[in-house]
Amino acid sequence: MRVLIDTARCEAHGDCVMAAPDVFDLDEEDNVAVLLMADPPEALREQVRQAADDCPVAAIRLEG
Ligand code: SF4
């Protein structure tokens, strides 16, 4: 699985950080989500799917 964040779309709501704190963080200076890992291990995939579902502006894309 690869994770991509559309930073132009992200409004820093932080839902992704709540759902998958090992994978997403917030850059408070730039007010945008950042990826801590772009290719999360199997054990984190459910959290990452939840994060993508929770994002209110659909800024998280999953591939693979
Ligand atoms: S949930 Fe979506 S809008 Fe909020 S910080 Fe994460 S990527 Fe950005």
Side-chain angles (χ1 to χ4, degrees), residues 5 9-17 26 33 51 54-57 59-60:
I5 299 175
R9 193 181 273 257
C10 173
E11 295 175 355
H13 293 287
D15 304 56
C16 55
V17 182
L26 273 186
D54 288 352
C55 178
V57 294
I60 300 170

Side-chain angles (χ1 to χ4, degrees), residues 4 6 8 10 13 15-16 18 24 27-28 33 50 55 58 60 63:
L4 300 155
D6 182 344
C10 173
H13 293 287
D15 304 56
C16 55
M18 297 283 281
F24 300 94
D27 183 328
E28 308 215 348
Q50 188 65 53
C55 178
I60 300 170
E63 293 180 344

